[in-house]
Amino acid sequence: RQSPGPASDSPRLAALLEDVVSLPITTCHVPFGNPNLVVGAPREYRPGIHHGLDFNCDTDGHVVQSAAVGQVIFVLNDYVDATTEDRDAVLAQTVPAFDTPFWTLAMLYGNFVVIDHSLTSVARPVTIYAHLSNIDSQILPGVLVDVGTPLGFVGNSGTSAAAAGLTNNDGSVHLHWEVHIGDRPIGYLELPADTQPLYEQILCTPNNPSTTVGC
């Protein structure tokens, strides 16, 4: 993984994406206004910070879609939720590091999709769509997708609620979405007050539907 870039570079990266990236879900609440749901928010249940945006959906059945033209590079669609005890044991291993390593975070994504958007930008943005209930059978590594291509349905796989057996129509149902450039989320190690404007610039643009709540 590359070393994180300076915070001063974040506005430039956001500007690269504002005409390329669209909303990954259009029927759920964009998390702007809640600093706990955006990049940079501290996490009470593990060391480190939040690396993405959490789109609250409340119920399943909402379609998750590709945010830009690209190529699917990873799919996990058979995630089995750990027990609460096993999940806590894994997270306890991260405490001495004062952070949660990326490979541990990936174990908490549940069913997820990763898309490489190098076809649209020399900066090679990569997006991650996590906690899905299920993924479309046509979404496989190597498949080319367009902006708006359905990937699957929102869920809560990989969450603490799912580990406790709460899998349907509960408040934990959401899309966790990340956009990386240089293997780091845009706004990495910055405060939520500084990262929210970056993601507003990327997502709250005229090419995105006004039906989405939050922009």
Side-chain angles (χ1 to χ4, degrees):
R1 306 191 69 197
Q2 299 181 20
S3 299
S8 60
D9 200 34
S10 294
R12 180 186 69 84
L13 297 179
L16 283 174
L17 298 185
E18 62 180 312
D19 293 325
V20 174
V21 173
S22 294
L23 286 161
I25 196 162
T26 60
T27 56
C28 298
H29 292 260
V30 178
F32 302 143
N34 186 338
N36 193 48
L37 301 180
V38 300
V39 175
R43 283 294 172 256
E44 295 181 357
Y45 64 92
R46 62 170 177 82
I49 59 171
H50 198 222
H51 288 178
L53 303 180
D54 285 347
F55 293 77
N56 283 335
C57 299
D58 296 326
T59 61
D60 53 14
H62 298 268
V63 176
V64 176
Q65 58 193 31
S66 175
V69 174
Q71 184 174 40
V72 177
I73 58 174
F74 191 85
V75 176
L76 180 68
N77 197 25
D78 56 358
Y79 185 85
V80 177
D81 280 289
T83 64
T84 297
E85 293 75 18
D86 284 347
R87 176 187 167 89
D88 290 344
V90 169
L91 291 174
Q93 299 300 314
T94 68
V95 173
F98 302 102
D99 195 7
T100 304
F102 181 77
W103 52 86
T104 304
L105 289 177
M107 293 172 62
L108 306 178
Y109 282 160
N111 295 318
F112 71 104
V113 177
V114 183
I115 301 177
D116 179 353
H117 303 287
S118 58
L119 298 176
T120 59
S121 171
V122 294
R124 196 191 176 207
V126 172
T127 52
I128 301 172
Y129 310 74
H131 302 317
L132 306 187
S133 61
N134 57 75
I135 296 168
D136 191 292
S137 60
Q138 313 251 350
I139 301 301
L140 300 168
V143 167
L144 300 179
V145 293
D146 201 351
V147 57
T149 296
L151 304 177
F153 293 94
V154 73
N156 72 345
S157 60
T159 66
S160 59
L166 302 173
T167 57
N168 294 313
N169 300 326
D170 115 286
S172 67
V173 174
H174 69 285
L175 170 66
H176 174 84
W177 181 77
E178 301 180 18
V179 56
H180 294 225
I181 291 182
D183 291 329
R184 300 286 183 178
I186 292 179
Y188 181 71
L189 296 182
E190 298 177 44
L191 296 174
D194 298 319
T195 64
Q196 177 171 316
L198 299 174
Y199 286 88
E200 287 177 329
Q201 178 180 355
I202 294 168
L203 294 175
C204 296
T205 56
N207 63 318
N208 279 317
S210 60
T211 54
T212 302
V213 180
C215 273

